[in-house]
Each structure stands twice: as structure tokens, then as C-alpha cells.
Amino acid sequence: MSKNVIVFVTGNVKKLEEVVQLFKKFYEGSPVPFHLTNINIDLPEHQGEREEICTLKANEAFKIIKGPCIVEDTSLCFNALGGLPGPYVKWFLKPVGPMGLYRMLQGFEDKTAIAVTTVAYVDKQGKVTIFNGETNGTIVEPSSIETFGWDSCFKPDGYEMTYAEMSKEQKNLISHRMKAMLKLKEFLDQTLPI
């Protein structure tokens, strides 16, 4: 096992599975320079801009973990609504589900959206570095296939299927989460001791 341990702070099992798969793919054929563990900490839900929210969450996580950690915040930004629900999509999704998100845009011609993952990495000194990944797409009537979150109503540009209808491998090639985590991987490759 590597001497570098990084804790991914999430209680979302599906998100954890996705991130573990991504790092395995990123380092395919090479040794991973760190060991990724997980802890479920109930961090405060901050309000503000995406990067501000993620930085605040990262600082809270570091106070508890006292070592290198990753926090992630995912947003779904409807262009017709000026970027809402954005980082608050989790709170919209809970009561209305993917169908409710789709219905929010019924009165608008513009159904485009941007899926954004913001990742904050905190090093052993407590310094926070932010990485963003974005995927453009369209909000569509939810497919009958459910995976998690709003995957069933988000169709990425250039595809005729939603995230939910894609295989995990296919989604991981284009997702907003993959793009943010790839930037994190490239940063860690440059900064972690081997």
C-alpha cells in the first residue's frame, strides 16, 4: 500500500463507486501513487458560489480528518434559469425527483444545462486546491432507467441517451465528474511524493 493516504469525504455510495472506477482507469497499468479511502462525515451545507461552497466543505473536512482529503460538490445549471438550481440541485431533486427537474423547464424553450463537478483537494498542510469539470447537455423527460441523482433526465451533448442509459464505462468517459477528477489526478501526479 502507498504511504500517501487520501480520504474521499462522501456518504454517497454510487459517487464513491464512480470515483474509485475513475482512478483505476486513470492509472491503468501504472501504480497509483496514493491509497484512496472513504469516510462519511455529515458536513454543513453551505450556501454561495460553487467553488466557495466546496472550499468551505473542504476546510470543515480537514478539521476533522487532519490530513489529505477530497470533497466534491455537483451542480446542475439550467441555462434558462440563469444557472439554477446549480449547487442546490440536491435539495430540488429530493422533493421533486428527475421528473420535477424536467418540468421546471416546461415553460422555457431553452432546455440546455451544464453538469458541473467541483472537487476540492486539501493537502497535509490544509491548503485547498479546486478543480472543475463540466459537461454540456439537455434536460429531457426522464428515462425509465434509474441510476442515481438526476442521471435519468440529463442527456449530454452529442449523445442520444441520458447518463442513466449509458453504461458506467461510457458515462465515465465523458462525465463532469471524470473531467474534474482527471484534473485532480494530474495535479496529484505532480505534487505527491512517489
Side-chain angles (χ1 to χ4, degrees), residues 5-9 58 61-62 65 67-71 120-124:
V5 175
I6 300 173
V7 179
F8 181 35
V9 180
F62 185 77
I65 294 165
C69 58
I70 301 166
V71 299
Y121 168 71
V122 190
D123 67 17
K124 61 184 178 182

Side-chain angles (χ1 to χ4, degrees), residues 142-192:
S143 62
S144 58
I145 299 166
E146 284 297 326
T147 51
F148 76 102
W150 36 262
D151 280 6
S152 64
C153 70
F154 183 79
K155 184 177 77 167
D157 286 354
Y159 293 83
E160 291 304 314
M161 61 181 84
T162 64
Y163 271 167
E165 295 167 308
M166 295 178 172
S167 68
K168 286 181 183 180
E169 294 75 23
Q170 188 176 16
K171 179 186 174 191
N172 285 343
L173 289 174
I174 63 162
S175 79
H176 50 294
R177 183 167 292 117
M178 180 280 296
K179 292 171 185 173
M181 291 296 174
L182 182 58
K183 289 176 185 175
L184 170 62
K185 180 253 186 213
E186 290 166 352
F187 174 81
L188 294 175
D189 286 347
Q190 299 299 313
T191 59
L192 285 182

Side-chain angles (χ1 to χ4, degrees), residues 8-178:
F8 181 35
V9 180
T10 184
N12 186 323
V13 176
K14 296 281 188 186
K15 197 180 281 190
L16 175 62
E17 285 173 8
E18 217 170 81
V19 169
V20 167
Q21 271 188 326
L22 286 170
F23 277 103
K24 282 182 182 174
K25 183 74 176 161
F26 293 157
Y27 287 103
E28 200 168 32
S30 301
V32 178
F34 60 88
H35 177 68
L36 186 66
T37 64
N38 166 254
I39 189 167
N40 182 4
I41 300 172
D42 193 18
L43 295 172
E45 291 292 338
H46 297 283
Q47 295 184 21
E49 296 300 318
R50 289 189 306 261
E51 290 189 8
E52 178 187 9
I53 291 169
C54 215
T55 300
L56 291 168
K57 284 172 66 173
N59 287 328
E60 292 290 331
F62 185 77
K63 286 179 195 173
I64 297 164
I65 294 165
K66 299 180 183 2
C69 58
I70 301 166
V71 299
E72 187 227 72
D73 204 69
T74 297
S75 301
L76 185 60
C77 308
F78 296 169
N79 292 318
L81 299 179
L84 290 173
Y88 309 110
V89 68
K90 168 178 160 180
W91 303 108
F92 280 68
L93 184 64
K94 212 174 209 173
V96 301
M99 183 58 83
L101 292 177
Y102 167 70
R103 288 183 179 145
M104 285 173 62
L105 292 176
Q106 275 185 326
F108 296 91
E109 221 173 279
D110 185 357
K111 310 279 194 235
T112 61
I114 305 169
V116 183
T117 291
T118 304
V119 173
Y121 168 71
V122 190
D123 67 17
K124 61 184 178 182
Q125 284 81 35
K127 181 182 178 212
V128 177
T129 307
I130 300 288
F131 307 91
N132 288 298
E134 297 184 1
T135 299
N136 291 304
T138 304
I139 301 302
V140 298
E141 188 168 350
S143 62
S144 58
I145 299 166
E146 284 297 326
T147 51
F148 76 102
W150 36 262
D151 280 6
S152 64
C153 70
F154 183 79
K155 184 177 77 167
D157 286 354
Y159 293 83
E160 291 304 314
M161 61 181 84
T162 64
Y163 271 167
E165 295 167 308
M166 295 178 172
S167 68
K168 286 181 183 180
E169 294 75 23
Q170 188 176 16
K171 179 186 174 191
N172 285 343
L173 289 174
I174 63 162
S175 79
H176 50 294
R177 183 167 292 117
M178 180 280 296

